[in-house]
Amino acid sequence: MSRRVGSDLRPLTTAITAGLVGWFGVTVLSQHPQQVFDRFRRYDVPGLLIGNWRFFAPEPAQHDFHVLHRVLTADGTQTRWVETTHIPRRHWRQVVWFPERRQDKAIFDICADLIVHLGTPGVEITATAPYEVLRDFVAHAVRRQYAGADVPRGFQFVIARSAGYDESHQPDYLLVSPFEPLPEGTPR
């Protein structure tokens, strides 16, 4: 009796295995950078069955953005520029667990959006959403840096673009913000 149950399931098991192998093969082929392999996606109307996990974007990033800030202290002293964001060296554990990458990626995307707005005629850069998000991020970092001390009068930030770990190239300074007031007791 047990032989009969096993033999009845063999066609079903074969069909499921063949379906999964076919789905896996189509998914792997669809990751290829050549657009010819995207033809399989037209059969996935809701876009849920064939994943899109290409390893590289059409134009992968070849640089890093750095955000630096300086403050005007309560006594009127202007500090030196310090890094608001720091891109740490990678560790082996980050192959598996790297939650800090989300913030790095968000800052990168915000800076990239701001750079696009810089080239758009008629756009007031300080009125754009990416500028406001970055300004608020820097304000939060300044407040954290000066916690327990006199709140600075304000701050200024700069976006610099570098070649990453290749230190033979000088960074490009893309945007220097105007002075941003930081009223005491008013979180932004």
Side-chain angles (χ1 to χ4, degrees):
M1 189 162 173
S2 64
R3 269 190 177 165
R4 184 161 191 216
V5 171
S7 63
D8 289 343
L9 293 177
R10 188 167 292 149
L12 178 63
T13 303
T14 303
I16 290 173
T17 303
L20 288 173
V21 167
W23 168 75
F24 181 75
V26 166
T27 301
V28 168
L29 283 174
S30 295
Q31 307 314 305
H32 197 280
Q34 294 283 335
Q35 297 299 319
V36 72
F37 293 103
D38 279 346
R39 67 176 179 245
F40 298 115
R41 292 187 194 285
R42 69 178 165 199
Y43 300 110
D44 184 16
V45 177
L48 300 173
L49 298 176
I50 302 174
N52 188 3
W53 303 295
R54 290 196 167 95
F55 294 111
F56 300 103
E59 294 178 28
Q62 298 175 357
H63 58 270
D64 289 331
F65 288 114
H66 300 270
V67 178
L68 299 97
H69 70 273
R70 64 180 174 185
V71 301
L72 183 62
T73 61
D75 65 1
T77 306
Q78 196 173 58
T79 65
R80 296 177 57 191
W81 292 100
V82 296
E83 274 196 271
T84 309
T85 59
H86 176 69
I87 300 172
R89 288 251 179 229
R90 303 294 186 230
H91 300 285
W92 280 105
R93 73 164 171 82
Q94 293 169 334
V95 171
V96 177
W97 181 250
F98 192 15
E100 302 88 21
R101 180 69 183 131
R102 297 287 186 206
Q103 180 177 321
D104 295 345
K105 175 71 169 115
I107 295 299
F108 184 91
D109 289 346
I110 288 168
C111 291
D113 281 354
L114 273 172
I115 301 315
V116 168
H117 288 302
L118 283 176
T120 308
V123 172
E124 177 59 40
I125 197 75
T126 59
T128 62
Y131 180 88
E132 292 176 357
V133 170
L134 190 58
R135 179 201 61 211
D136 292 349
F137 174 78
V138 174
H140 180 72
V142 168
R143 287 188 181 284
R144 201 172 52 239
Q145 179 182 356
Y146 285 87
D150 288 337
V151 176
R153 292 182 191 175
F155 64 94
Q156 191 176 21
F157 63 90
V158 65
I159 297 175
R161 180 174 56 198
S162 74
Y165 292 115
D166 182 3
E167 296 178 3
S168 65
H169 298 311
Q170 292 296 316
D172 298 319
Y173 297 97
L174 305 173
L175 171 74
V176 178
S177 78
F179 175 78
E180 294 287 346
L182 192 65
E184 191 171 350
T186 317
R188 267 192 142 159

